[in-house]
Amino acid sequence: MSDAPGATPAPQSAPATYTRPVIAVVGNPNTGKSTLFSRLTGVRQKVGNYPGVTVEKKIGRIRLAERDADLVDLPGSYSLAAHSPDEMIAVDVLLGRVPGMKRPDAVLVVVDASNLRRNLFLASQVLELGVPVVLALNMVDVADQRGIVLDPRQLGERLGCAVVPIVATARDGKSKVQFASRPAALPDHQASEVPAATSTQLSGFDDLRTALGDAVAAANRAPAAVFPELTAAARELAQTFSSATHQLDPLETERALLDVGSYSEERLLARADTPDQRAALVAALEATRNQLAGDKPIAAVEAARRYQWIFKALDGVEVRGEPRPGWSDRIDSVLTHPVLGLLSFVGIMFVVFQAVFTWSGPLMDLIDGAFGDLGQSVGAALGEGAFSSLVEKGIIAGVGSVLIFLPQILILFLFIAILEDSGYMARAAFLTDRMMRLAGLSGQSFVPLLSSFACAIPGIMAARTIPDRKDRLTTILVAPLMSCSARLPVYTILISSFVPNQKYLGGWLSLQGLVMAAMYFVGIFTAMAAAVLIKRFMLRGPAPAFLMEMPPYRRPMLRAVAQRLWERGGVFVRRAGTIIFAVVLVVWVLSYFPRPEHIAQQYEVEREALAQQTDLDDAARADALADIDHREARDYLEQSAFGRIGHFIEPLFRPLGWDWRISAAAMASFPAREVVVAVLGTTFAVGDDIDVDDDDSAGTMRAALQNATWPDGRKLFNLPVALSLMVFFALCLQCGATVAAIKREANSWGWAIFAWCYMTGLAWVAACVVYQASYALLM
Amino acid sequence: MSATVTTLAALRAGQSATVRAVTGDSAIVQRILAMGLLEGSDVRVIRFAPAGDPMEVEVLGYPLSLRKSEAANVEVDHIR
């Protein structure tokens, strides 16, 4: 959980089992890098995390002419500068320092052809490595529309690498890509004079595969002489300070020289064997900076040299016509307009939220019903007993409780993919940044937090689009405070049972509605406050830069969107599924065992007595049998490990106005919040299948809750208890799937446990305050 | 030219200027430079977000959004 630079990754060489060539893929954000990656690898990819950081590790297989190779997708960035462990991953992958991964045999640099000058900044850093490079000149169609004429062949000669023009998003990849891969357009040519290629042999992807095949077979190239003095100085420093115990790499030394006072410098210094050596290295770095840059910041000199080199490389290779105001600018004059822009933003977000909230309903009911039926028929087929209960209530219900979130996740990701690929996400961040800054976050946190109103899991997964690690973690940690749809059943049953149905303003306002709205505001307010505190005390540091390109609007590509949905859905089902599954099993075991024999005997006697009664009709008999079943279930629950824990922890929840049954139900709802409704139902013996949408069973449940008493006969539930229970569920993290999602996205159990602890603590304190205050006021 | 330093944050929508220097903390300076806002670059303010912050500028022929607090690190002259 600490930000301190840890021990350096040790393995310098790859395991012997690693046989395929490795190609790293780098590029700026919004260059279509992910789309290209997906199209080159298809579904043959593995998604995971790099150890110790929150960066996603995506590796896919690509078929080259001679053999297969592994494509490693690196996070989109504008530079190799490494101010945090997350940013250092790109450098580590390029140097082959990540355990289990070998140094790449080639690098594929994806650039936006319509924005070459800035894109070549990162490319120039990669070209200095000396590794064979292939430059994918993506979006040549956009460049063409903007009147930019390019000469890819000439560019390749100047950069000393293969340059392949492509259109990664082209629906029919071949024809459009060929149009872009026409013979080099010379500066004095008019674009219209160059005939579009018709041959199907010259498709962009085929050319790219050929170029990549050549690159992995090629020996290292001469590093580009962008800033030769810097490269030479870094090499010399690395040589001087390498010893028998550690090898300094010229690239990491160069990064330490440039990234003054940052993570990469810290990590280089941490390699020194002795304090004296460290001091010498500090002095040498400082002297080298002075020698290279004089009194200017070294980064300014480096940037100036890089851009000089870029302008020289592009002179005569990239000819920019008169900039024409495109439709993208016209859309922006509406969508970022002070009034119209905000209105459209609210409209778009409303549609997204509605879709996630309501469209998913029927699908979720379908999954819920299917798993319920499956559980019942399997349970019936297996008969009574522990194994049957394990399969029905443990395994099938457990899997169902995970899969039920899948529709919301897929619908939300459908919208996020469309908003991102169309370029709108950058505008949403632009519009909301000022507001989100009140919580210490940036505009990039808005959409993940909004999504969390439907379900925190897709919200947490959406947080991966936030580039800054601290902002991303903070967003992940506060997202579950937004009142998700799983809280609704809890709010609904308690509000309808204990909040008076008073209407104000001629029926326009109801007290019940106000309490419901208050629950949502409690969540929002707490999330904002928690974000401020987490940023101030745990994830301290300078405010992250909010520097981002406003990409031109584009039409999202169906295939790319579909592939992302498939990927996200798969990740959720596999990773969260395994963890929540284990948790559900544990809860089942705790609430099933032990099962004292005397309870079974006692109710067997009752059942026999019922069978003896002859004056009952079938309906009354069934009711009486159900009543016996429920009382038996309740007694078993009280005797189970869970019931005993409930009694044991009752004193802890007394200040909240809860008895052991409510306490145990709250605990048993760890797999999923809405479980509390079912457990309360079982505990208060009204049937274990409570459907709050069904007036009848909700009515019975209401009556049961209203009639429940303490042992001394006082009513158990009243408005203060209901409020404290609602506030507790508004703020607690009783959702195994969310805990699993936090673990996955933050890549640490530490953060997941922290999230659970701080939210549960907050929930307890808030529920206690609400109970005590409302008791004093109302009772 | 006046003695006070004008920064990108002080420009109005529609104004153009030339970057003279980028100052401040190394991490933020590096990010600004990588985006193409470096000594000698021409920059034009396109618009401000509804709350007056962040702002959108054009540099190297592409639109870039940044906060005023970051734009305050970019010293400009030749305002036109």
Side-chain angles (χ1 to χ4, degrees), chain A residues 127-132 159-160 219-225:
Chain A
L127 285 163
E128 281 179 316
L129 296 177
V131 188
L159 300 181
N220 279 359
R221 52 192 290 286

Side-chain angles (χ1 to χ4, degrees), chain A residues 78 83 87 115 117-118 258-260 296 299-300 304 307 336 430-431 433-434 437 442 545-548 550, chain B residues 26-28 30-31 33-36 38-39 47 49-51 53-56 60 62-67 70:
Chain A
Y78 295 111
H83 294 276
E87 289 173 335
N115 193 358
R117 288 181 281 181
R118 196 208 61 220
L258 294 171
D259 310 343
V260 182
K296 285 191 173 185
Y307 275 108
T336 54
F430 182 70
L431 291 170
D433 181 67
R434 188 71 197 82
R437 227 179 305 164
S442 84
F546 184 77
L547 277 162
M548 117 194 129
M550 297 285 251
Chain B
S26 132
I28 184 74
Q30 272 186 310
R31 288 205 165 92
L33 292 167
M35 301 307 282
L38 69 159
E39 188 180 340
R47 60 171 68 86
D53 192 17
M55 63 199 293
E56 185 181 345
L60 295 185
Y62 79 93
L64 167 75
S65 83
L66 74 170
R67 286 178 180 164
E70 283 141 12

Side-chain angles (χ1 to χ4, degrees), chain A residues 384 591-592 594-607 624-640 682-683 685-686:
Chain A
E384 292 284 310
S591 50
Y592 192 81
R595 296 177 78 76
E597 191 59 27
H598 68 86
I599 295 180
Q601 283 166 0
Q602 176 195 336
Y603 286 99
E604 212 38 56
V605 171
E606 278 198 40
R607 282 198 189 91
L625 262 177
D627 180 59
I628 294 174
D629 286 349
H630 293 314
R631 282 187 288 126
E632 184 180 20
R634 180 196 59 193
D635 285 359
Y636 272 132
L637 186 68
E638 182 164 12
Q639 286 301 317
S640 71
T682 313
T683 323
V686 288

